């Protein structure tokens, strides 16, 4: 019989030092998630791709995300079976090897391979560190720690483009963004080596649920395709919705059937009977959808409506992104002090919903009114939205990890992150598809006037432009309001399902 490892959470372990080291590795990997935002052009030039061929840069951009998604379903399960620190060190080494391939890449294929391995290694660190934090701190004490871990990850994502821009602009060049990862990763692994070699995490043989992972991945891929509106002027869903959606449900049903019968499931589906487990998963998915809408539509709105360039759009988004790590820290602290997961998670989602309602009222002059000194009212609205999305993270994570057993914490952490990603993909596809469909429905009767001998061309063209701009605003207003409603539903789910905070104790 195969037995997963059991972590010996001994009081003699230097918990802050262990979490600081693993958190440093997580921060290092999260820095690299968005570095291509500011380093893309010199990266393209180095592999002899013309900067006027942006479509060839797509694999560089998506490579990290694909690697991240590919390992996430099994990353936490690996840490359950082989130990948190061992899996952490192996994945950090994989991230460092991907950094080496990226920095030394003479061709596009090696560059993409390097980014793919960076994403795979970096993505697997997240559930391992979350599960480690839950191992080291008992139920009731772990929400501030989970908030700090989540804040580290979010801060890395915010600082990544800035870090890449500074290194790229220096005399060293863009490759040093990745060269520096190698000694940093080696130093972290060296510092962790005594813990890796210790007997606290006994390694046991185990099987991995590859069948379950394939069934889940197929279901998610088909559902995303079914909801993706490639022709929004015709339908708010995908062209193959009628066959893709039912087939995705069949894959999900097969996944549940298989997981109930296999001896080593990817996720114990019986946990869904627990309202706190299922509520945490659903709440995190809804929050992920809200985050994805903000990440995509705020820069697009800045560009299409406020005529900002790429850097201006990015700086506008930074206002929101700064609120997320602050919210993650605040949410963990509030959950601990108020002894309530459900209230703090619901509070965060309500604040985010209020932020989206404010964003839904934006017009051409929304960026001008000042709040305090150089800060505008728009800055405050964006920060409030990010703050609310951040507050939700720690209490929801702690609520789910309190439910699962010690031997399933890694898989639980992976599942929590997968649900957030599912929400980002599925929720965004629904909201964006409906918004685009509504825009094309509202503008279908509008025909651009022809200049020619038309004496009223100037007036007609001005009227046409005004109507199109109004339709664009209406589309964004609809998307932001729909997102606010979804977040309020998430707040209700959190308030109704999350289990009260457990009293601090060693299990």
């Amino acid at each position: 019989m195969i037995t997963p490892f059991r972590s010996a959470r001994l009081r003699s372990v230097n918990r802050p030092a262990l979490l600081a080291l693993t958190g440093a590795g997580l921060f290092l990997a999260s820095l690299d998630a968005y570095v291509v935002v500011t380093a893309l052009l010199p990266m393209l030039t180095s592999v002899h791709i013309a900067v006027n061929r942006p479509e060839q840069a797509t694999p560089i951009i998506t490579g990290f995300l694909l690697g991240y998604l590919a390992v996430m379903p099994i990353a936490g399960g690996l840490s359950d079976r082989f130990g948190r620190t061992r899996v952490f060190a192996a994945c950090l080494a994989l991230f460092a090897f991907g950094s080496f391939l990226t920095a030394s890449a003479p061709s596009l294929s090696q560059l993409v391979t390097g980014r793919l391995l960076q994403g795979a290694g970096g993505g697997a660190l997240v559930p391992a560190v979350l599960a480690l934090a839950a191992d080291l701190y008992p139920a009731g004490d772990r929400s501030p720690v989970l908030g700090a871990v989540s804040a580290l990850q979010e801060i890395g994502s915010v600082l990544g483009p800035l870090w890449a821009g500074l290194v790229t602009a220096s005399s060293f060049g863009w490759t040093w963004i990745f060269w520096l990862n190698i000694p940093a990763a080696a130093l972290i692994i060296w510092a962790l080596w005594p813990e890796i070699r210790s007997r606290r995490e006994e390694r046991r043989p185990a099987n991995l649920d590859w069948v379950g992972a394939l069934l889940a991945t197929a279901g998610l891929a088909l559902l995303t395709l079914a909801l993706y509106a490639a022709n929004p002027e015709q339908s708010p869903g995908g062209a193959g919705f009628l066959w893709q959606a039912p087939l995705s449900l069949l894959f999900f049903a097969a996944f549940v059937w298989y997981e109930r019968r296999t001896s080593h499931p990817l996720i114990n589906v019986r946990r869904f009977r627990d309202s706190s487990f299922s509520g945490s998963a659903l709440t995190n998915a809804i929050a992920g959808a809200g985050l994805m809408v903000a990440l995509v539509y705020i820069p697009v709105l800045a560009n299409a409506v406020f005529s900002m360039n790429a850097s201006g759009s990015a700086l506008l988004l930074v206002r929101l992104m700064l609120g997320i790590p602050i919210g993650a820290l605040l949410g963990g602290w509030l959950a601990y002090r108020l002894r309530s997961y459900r209230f703090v998670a619901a509070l965060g989602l309500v604040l985010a919903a209020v932020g989206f309602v404010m964003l839904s009222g934006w017009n051409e002059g929304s960026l001008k009114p000042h709040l305090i000194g150089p800060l505008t009212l728009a800055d405050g609205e964006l920060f409030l939205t990010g703050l609310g999305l951040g507050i939700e993270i720690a209490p929801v994570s702690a609520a789910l990890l309190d439910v699962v057993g010690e031997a399933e914490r890694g898989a639980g952490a992976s599942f929590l992150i997968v649900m957030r990603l599912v929400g980002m993909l599925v929720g965004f596809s629904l909201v964006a598809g409906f918004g685009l469909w509504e825009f094309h429905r509202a503008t279908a009767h509008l025909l651009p006037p022809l200049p020619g001998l038309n004496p009223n061309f100037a007036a007609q063209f001005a009227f046409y432009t005004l109507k199109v701009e109004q339709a664009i605003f209406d589309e964004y207003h609809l998307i932001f309001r729909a997102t606010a409603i979804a977040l309020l539903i998430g707040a209700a789910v959190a308030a109704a399902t999350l289990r009260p905070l457990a009293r601090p104790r060693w299990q």
Side-chain angles (χ1 to χ4, degrees):
M1 179 178 178
I2 298 171
T3 305
F5 98 98
R6 293 185 63 79
S7 171
R9 290 183 279 105
L10 304 177
R11 293 179 185 270
S12 60
V13 173
N14 190 334
R15 296 180 294 174
L18 186 56
L19 275 180
L21 287 171
T22 52
L26 184 60
F27 176 78
L28 182 68
S30 63
L31 269 178
D32 272 27
Y34 300 115
V35 290
V36 295
V37 172
T38 48
L40 184 60
L41 293 183
M43 291 173 74
L44 289 175
T45 304
S46 69
V47 292
H48 312 294
I49 293 178
V51 294
N52 60 351
R53 299 290 302 277
E55 69 278 1
Q56 296 190 32
T58 301
I60 302 175
I61 298 171
T62 59
F64 190 96
L65 179 60
L66 289 175
Y68 191 97
L69 291 172
V71 303
M72 192 52 66
I74 63 170
L78 287 172
S79 75
D80 286 334
R81 288 156 172 80
F82 302 111
R84 316 289 185 217
T85 55
R86 292 191 187 101
V87 170
F88 175 88
C91 293
L92 189 58
L94 180 63
F95 172 80
F97 179 65
S99 298
F100 167 76
L101 291 181
T102 304
S104 61
S107 63
L108 179 63
S109 60
Q110 183 173 322
L111 193 60
V112 172
T113 302
R115 290 294 290 166
L116 186 72
L117 294 180
Q118 280 189 291
L125 298 179
V126 184
V129 178
L130 287 175
L132 177 64
D135 286 345
L136 294 173
Y137 290 83
D141 280 352
R142 60 175 62 123
S143 62
V145 182
L146 293 173
V149 169
S150 301
L152 265 179
Q153 184 187 8
E154 298 296 341
I155 290 171
S157 300
V158 173
L159 295 181
L162 176 61
W163 163 247
L166 291 174
V167 176
T168 302
S170 70
S171 58
F172 296 102
W174 71 268
T175 58
W176 279 91
I177 300 170
F178 305 102
W179 284 126
L180 291 173
N181 289 338
I182 300 172
L187 183 62
I188 294 171
I189 294 173
W190 173 80
L192 281 173
W193 193 247
E195 184 65 27
I196 295 169
R197 293 186 60 188
S198 72
R199 298 287 184 177
R200 294 193 182 97
E201 294 181 338
E202 184 181 353
R203 180 175 178 175
R204 304 290 178 89
N207 294 321
L208 293 178
D209 184 13
W210 296 108
V211 175
L214 288 173
L215 289 172
T217 302
L220 291 173
L222 284 167
L223 184 59
T224 303
L225 288 173
L227 296 175
Y228 176 68
N231 296 298
E233 67 275 7
Q234 300 177 6
S235 170
F241 178 86
L242 293 179
W243 66 270
Q244 289 168 345
L247 190 56
S248 70
L249 295 179
L250 285 177
F251 273 108
F252 287 136
F255 170 77
V256 173
W257 178 85
Y258 182 81
E259 295 298 286
R260 288 176 62 89
R261 285 157 178 79
T262 184
S263 57
H264 298 285
L266 190 68
I267 184 68
N268 185 354
V269 294
R270 291 178 177 84
R271 293 286 184 192
F272 281 101
R273 299 172 183 171
D274 190 307
S275 64
S276 191
F277 182 91
S278 55
S280 298
L282 182 57
T283 300
N284 216 38
I286 293 173
L291 177 61
M292 191 65 175
V293 169
L295 291 176
V296 172
Y297 278 103
I298 288 174
V300 172
L301 185 65
N303 180 264
V305 176
F306 300 119
S307 302
M308 291 184 172
N309 55 23
S311 60
S313 301
L315 286 174
L316 190 67
L317 185 61
V318 164
R319 272 79 159 174
L320 179 138
M321 296 296 291
L322 285 175
I324 297 178
I326 296 174
L329 285 171
L330 181 60
W333 181 80
L334 283 175
Y336 176 75
R337 296 295 299 176
L338 300 178
R339 315 303 299 166
S340 175
Y341 293 148
R342 59 178 63 182
F343 173 77
V344 177
L347 173 65
L349 291 174
V350 168
L351 290 178
V354 171
F356 272 104
V357 170
M358 291 177 173
L359 296 179
S360 71
W362 276 15
N363 53 41
E364 294 91 339
S366 293
L367 300 184
K368 296 177 181 178
H370 281 266
L371 189 62
I372 300 174
L375 297 178
T376 65
L377 184 61
D379 294 334
E381 293 167 349
L382 289 169
F383 181 81
L384 176 66
T385 306
L387 185 74
L389 292 172
I391 288 174
E392 169 269 347
I393 296 173
V396 168
S397 301
L400 187 141
L401 293 175
D402 281 0
V403 171
V404 299
E406 185 178 41
E408 299 176 34
R409 284 202 187 114
S414 277
F415 176 72
L416 191 68
I417 299 164
V418 166
M419 287 303 297
R420 194 172 186 86
L421 294 172
V422 168
M424 293 175 78
L425 293 173
V426 176
F428 171 73
S429 297
L430 281 171
V431 172
F434 183 74
L436 288 170
W437 175 75
E438 183 66 21
F439 170 77
H440 286 287
R441 188 191 65 81
T443 58
H445 66 284
L446 295 177
L447 296 175
L450 299 176
L453 301 176
N454 184 354
N456 298 320
F457 171 75
Q460 291 175 359
F461 184 77
F463 177 78
Y464 169 80
T465 303
L466 179 65
K467 287 295 184 181
V468 171
E469 288 180 353
Q470 186 60 52
I472 292 174
F473 270 117
D474 289 343
E475 177 197 352
Y476 288 122
H477 294 167
L478 177 65
I479 288 173
F480 289 152
R481 287 169 187 159
T483 304
I485 293 172
L487 290 171
L488 289 176
I489 293 172
V493 170
T497 61
L498 298 192
R499 188 172 297 164
L501 185 62
R503 291 183 179 278
R505 63 183 178 86
W506 284 93
Q507 299 172 340

